[in-house]
């Protein structure tokens, strides 16, 4: 386990929308370099950058055309290497986004794979042997290639599935997981990883990490086996490199696949989902962090605790404020609500991720789909730095902007919030610095619930020797807890105090006691 992960706080950057330095309306790598001091000031010491590779951008870059080439609109490979160096000089690690399950249909491998004549890449993707034959319940395309057969899709129509084999093979054309073609795909992906690790990157966020082997068993054990071999490669040759999976099944990803971290995504019937944006109560939003919501922390804990217990010795569950696929938390939560939600995320075990702009409460905007974003596009708009043109994101003409900026009067910005000690931005800074100060708030320290009662406040939990308490509701509460005895607050949002065994915690408040 890389030591640096223990105190890591990640910041996710969607490169399109972070900072444009060449006035073409789209963010670039030099823009990220320019803002590294800002990232550091936030208390983040690691980055995850969404795919920045050559692509036709039918899925915002998750449709890779060349894994080893930076997309021209972001800069050059040299710029990316420069970014690694500048980040490292500030103690910041950089994770790139690896998309191993599919490529763009314009990738050279796919172009060769679609040819009539058999060649080195014929087995690189999943093909049937007959153009009139589908792929079970899986999405596929046929009738577009000179090669006879249909090819399987992993996501959108432009993203053919790479071939890692099938565990349960029911058709002749299904490769075995240990077939030469499946092994060649694994080697090709390892080669991509080595290429960027050798260039100085610190690891990868892995897109749809669970999607590799088709007809896998219910534990995804064949897919997990591939990732374990990747982890072996890292442990042997790049022991400081880290892997975080888009899997949302920490037992499979961490225990099975050897991932250092697994994202807790907002899937249906998922505990994370009940915290910030509750989709599951039929129109009524009972997110735990809404002051008006009928918050119930047990909905979260019932899902989280079993996952935490079985994986905490081997790796970390990663909670995020949101990501480029999910609505921004400010869509449903006000600033006082966000403060408590972020206090929670930044005081939990595992490794937290802050999505760019969430630290200032950027809104989820009602904008038209861009590059396959569809309903996700509203979370991908330009970063709001200040009150100059285009919020300081770019000095291009408005029509050239990759996506429109927030035009509203009360659009938050970094500059305005830097001047306000009580702003969301400064609260996030104080929370990250608290986490860096106390080992007991970091990734490894133990977690135990002390007071968690269905539909009751507050929620009190222990991290190592510290006691954290939070109350997102509008009513102050008072409870007696023996764990409180002799403690004093080291950090508070709102009002909270302990007298003997009595904890008093005001509305929308959070505190850490020593
Ligand atoms: C998950 C990524 O986060 C998403 O943005 C992308 O569209 C799909 N995987 C397909 O790669």
């Amino acid at each position: 386990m890389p030591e640096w992960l223990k105190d890591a706080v990640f910041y996710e950057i969607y490169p399109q929308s972070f900072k444009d330095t060449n006035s073409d309306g789209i963010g670039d790598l030099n823009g990220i370099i320019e803002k590294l001091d800002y990232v550091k000031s936030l208390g983040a010491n690691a980055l995850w950058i969404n795919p920045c590779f050559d692509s036709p951008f039918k899925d915002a870059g998750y449709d890779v055309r060349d894994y080893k080439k930076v997309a021209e609109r972001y800069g050059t490979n040299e710029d990316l290497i420069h970014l690694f160096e500048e980040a490292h000089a500030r103690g910041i690690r950089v994770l790139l986004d690896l998309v191993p399950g599919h490529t763009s249909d314009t990738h050279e491998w796919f172009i060769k794979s679609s040819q009539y004549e058999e060649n080195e890449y014929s087995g690189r993707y999943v093909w049937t042997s007959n153009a009139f034959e589908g792929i079970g319940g899986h999405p596929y395309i046929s009738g577009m290639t000179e090669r006879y057969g249909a090819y399987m899709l992993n996501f959108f129509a432009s993203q053919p599935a790479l071939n890692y084999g099938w565990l349960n093979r029911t058709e002749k054309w299904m490769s075995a997981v240990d077939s030469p073609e499946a092994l060649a795909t694994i080697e090709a992906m390892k080669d991509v990883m080595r290429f960027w690790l050798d260039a100085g990157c610190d690891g990868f966020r892995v897109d749809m990490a669970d999607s590799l082997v088709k007809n896998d068993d219910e534990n995804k054990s064949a897919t997990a086996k591939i990732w374990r071999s990747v982890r072996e490669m890292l442990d042997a040759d790049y022991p400081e490199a880290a892997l975080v999976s888009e899997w949302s099944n920490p037992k499979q990803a961490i225990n099975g696949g050897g991932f250092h971290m697994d994202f807790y995504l907002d899937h249906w019937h998922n505990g994370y989902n009940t915290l910030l944006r509750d989709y599951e109560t039929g129109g009524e939003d009972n997110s735990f962090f809404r002051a008006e919501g009928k918050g119930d922390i047990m909905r979260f804990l019932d899902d989280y605790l079993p996952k935490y217990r079985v994986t905490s010795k081997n790796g970390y569950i990663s909670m995020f404020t949101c990501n480029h696929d999910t609505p921004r938390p400010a869509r449903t939560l006000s600033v006082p609500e966000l403060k408590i939600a972020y206090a929670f995320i930044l005081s939990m075990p595992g490794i937290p991720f802050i999505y760019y702009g969430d630290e200032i409460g950027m809104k989820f905007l009602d904008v038209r789909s861009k590059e396959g974003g569809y309903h996700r596009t509203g979370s991908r708009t330009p970063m709001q730095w200040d009150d100059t043109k285009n919020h300081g994101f770019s000095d291009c003409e408005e029509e050239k902007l990759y996506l429109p900026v927030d035009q509203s009067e009360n659009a938050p910005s970094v500059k305005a919030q830097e001047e306000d000690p009580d702003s969301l931005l400064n609260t996030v800074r104080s929370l990250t610095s608290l986490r860096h100060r106390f080992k007991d708030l970091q990734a490894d320290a133990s977690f135990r619930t002390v007071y968690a009662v269905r539909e009751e406040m507050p929620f009190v939990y222990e991290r190592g020797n510290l006691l954290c308490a939070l109350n997102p509701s509008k009513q102050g509460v008072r409870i007696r807890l023996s764990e409180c005895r002799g403690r004093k607050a080291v950090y508070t949002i709102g009002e909270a105090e302990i007298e003997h065994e009595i904890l008093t915690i005001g509305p929308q408040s959070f505190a850490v006691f020593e």
Side-chain angles (χ1 to χ4, degrees):
M1 184 65 69
E3 228 0 76
W4 64 271
L5 277 180
K6 300 188 169 166
D7 185 28
V9 174
F10 273 84
Y11 190 64
E12 178 191 348
I13 292 181
Y14 188 71
Q16 288 89 320
S17 295
F18 198 55
K19 173 72 191 171
D20 171 24
T21 57
N22 64 352
S23 313
D24 61 356
I26 192 158
D28 45 52
L29 295 175
N30 284 329
I32 300 177
I33 294 173
E34 200 181 296
K35 294 296 183 185
L36 284 172
D37 288 330
Y38 170 76
V39 171
K40 195 170 166 72
S41 80
L42 206 57
N45 49 18
L47 293 177
W48 154 29
I49 302 174
N50 293 106
C52 53
F53 313 108
D54 181 42
S55 164
F57 295 102
K58 295 238 164 115
D59 183 16
Y62 282 95
D63 47 332
V64 179
R65 182 164 49 204
D66 186 343
Y67 287 102
K68 295 186 177 174
K69 185 170 178 258
V70 165
E72 246 173 71
R73 67 192 203 178
Y74 300 132
T76 61
N77 284 18
E78 287 66 43
D79 293 334
L80 185 51
I81 291 167
H82 187 208
L83 166 57
F84 299 149
E85 291 162 356
E86 290 292 323
H88 294 163
R90 291 165 176 81
I92 298 171
R93 315 273 171 159
V94 183
L95 262 55
L96 297 177
D97 208 318
L98 182 77
V99 189
H102 48 269
T103 65
S104 157
D105 57 5
T106 58
H107 193 293
E108 198 195 342
W109 297 343
F110 186 73
I111 294 170
K112 295 214 168 112
S113 198
S114 334
Q115 286 167 1
Y116 177 77
E117 291 83 20
E118 203 165 319
N119 61 59
E120 194 191 336
Y121 298 97
S122 300
R124 181 57 52 91
Y125 296 81
V126 178
W127 290 88
T128 65
S129 47
N130 184 321
F132 301 95
E133 184 184 359
I135 306 191
H138 304 282
Y140 66 91
I141 285 185
S142 64
M144 299 293 283
T145 61
E146 61 178 31
R147 174 173 174 165
Y148 291 12
Y151 59 91
M152 182 173 172
L153 302 176
N154 222 35
F155 201 67
F156 286 153
S158 60
Q159 291 159 310
L162 283 161
N163 185 16
Y164 293 88
W166 297 65
L167 187 62
N168 286 308
R169 291 155 68 213
T170 52
E171 306 293 334
K172 258 173 97 179
W173 49 262
M174 294 177 173
S175 304
V177 290
D178 56 357
S179 61
E181 59 274 22
L183 297 178
T185 308
I186 300 172
E187 280 319 304
M189 217 37 75
K190 286 185 177 165
D191 174 58
V192 169
M193 296 175 83
R194 286 181 176 279
F195 179 84
W196 288 114
L197 289 164
D198 290 340
C201 96
D202 300 288
F204 302 91
R205 173 267 185 184
V206 179
D207 186 73
M208 294 172 67
D210 60 333
S211 75
L212 305 191
V213 172
K214 309 304 177 195
N215 280 2
D216 206 343
D217 61 23
E218 59 176 351
N219 298 320
K220 302 237 168 147
S221 49
T223 297
K225 189 170 168 210
I226 295 176
W227 290 116
R228 268 201 317 278
S229 82
V230 170
R231 172 71 184 263
E232 275 161 26
M233 171 180 100
L234 297 189
D235 286 351
D237 298 338
Y238 309 92
E240 286 292 290
L243 282 183
V244 53
S245 49
E246 186 192 34
W247 196 315
S248 210
N249 188 325
K251 196 170 162 203
Q252 292 178 358
I254 294 170
N255 296 359
F259 275 91
H260 302 100
M261 310 166 254
D262 183 36
F263 282 120
Y264 202 0
L265 303 172
D266 52 349
H267 287 161
W268 286 81
H269 308 305
N270 188 337
Y272 172 81
N273 202 24
T274 68
L275 295 172
L276 281 75
R277 49 186 92 76
D278 182 6
Y279 305 132
E280 289 176 41
T281 41
E284 202 180 329
D285 184 348
N286 286 327
S287 309
F288 178 68
F289 288 106
R290 279 192 67 217
E292 306 284 353
K294 300 183 201 86
D296 184 355
I297 195 64
M298 293 311 294
R299 292 173 68 209
F300 164 74
L301 290 171
D302 287 345
D303 182 68
Y304 172 78
L305 282 175
K307 291 176 175 162
Y308 170 71
R309 283 193 191 113
V310 296
T311 55
S312 61
K313 286 202 170 57
N314 304 319
Y316 305 116
I317 293 176
S318 276
M319 262 191 249
F320 48 50
T321 57
C322 86
N323 73 10
H324 63 289
D325 291 332
T326 62
R328 286 197 182 269
R331 190 185 64 149
T332 41
L333 301 185
S334 66
V335 169
E337 289 168 336
L338 288 172
K339 285 183 181 173
I340 310 302
Y342 294 174
F344 170 76
I345 292 173
L346 291 166
S347 62
M348 285 293 282
I351 298 177
F353 280 65
I354 300 166
Y355 182 55
Y356 86 96
D358 280 349
E359 72 275 24
I360 55 169
M362 268 173 63
K363 292 178 211 148
F364 180 79
L365 298 186
D366 182 13
V367 288
R368 274 178 80 138
S369 178
K370 181 89 176 184
E371 297 184 343
Y374 301 104
H375 64 281
R376 309 173 290 183
T377 314
S379 292
R380 300 177 174 186
T381 58
M383 180 67 179
Q384 295 154 206
W385 296 104
D386 54 35
D387 51 8
T388 62
K389 189 175 177 186
N390 302 320
H391 289 305
F393 162 69
S394 168
D395 58 13
C396 72
E397 289 317 308
E398 203 185 310
E399 310 77 65
K400 273 177 80 182
L401 284 173
Y402 172 78
L403 278 170
V405 296
D406 186 349
Q407 302 281 13
S408 61
E409 290 249 311
N410 61 355
S413 77
V414 170
K415 177 151 181 288
Q417 294 200 14
E418 294 211 299
E419 288 153 13
D420 172 6
D422 199 34
S423 65
L424 186 58
L425 173 61
N426 282 322
T427 302
V428 170
R429 285 178 170 155
S430 69
L431 285 164
T432 55
S433 89
L434 185 75
R435 190 174 170 104
H436 294 313
R437 187 170 129 213
F438 288 101
K439 230 181 154 135
D440 277 351
L441 288 176
Q442 295 167 11
D444 278 331
S446 62
F447 172 82
R448 188 174 75 88
T449 58
V450 173
Y451 188 85
V453 178
R454 230 166 259 288
E455 290 177 25
E456 265 185 42
M457 295 299 169
F459 171 40
V460 184
Y461 49 105
E462 223 171 57
R463 292 295 324 278
N465 290 316
L466 298 174
L467 193 73
C468 305
L470 57 83
N471 173 23
S473 83
K474 285 219 157 139
Q475 287 81 42
V477 278
R478 230 163 195 270
I479 51 164
R480 179 186 290 273
L481 284 176
S482 60
E483 283 86 350
C484 287
R485 202 176 312 128
R487 290 185 183 268
K488 57 178 196 327
V490 289
Y491 181 88
T492 35
I493 296 173
E495 292 159 19
E497 58 172 29
I498 282 177
E499 243 183 292
H500 308 297
E501 290 189 354
I502 306 285
L503 165 70
T504 310
I505 179 158
Q508 301 192 300
S509 299
F510 168 83
V512 178
F513 300 94
E514 207 170 15

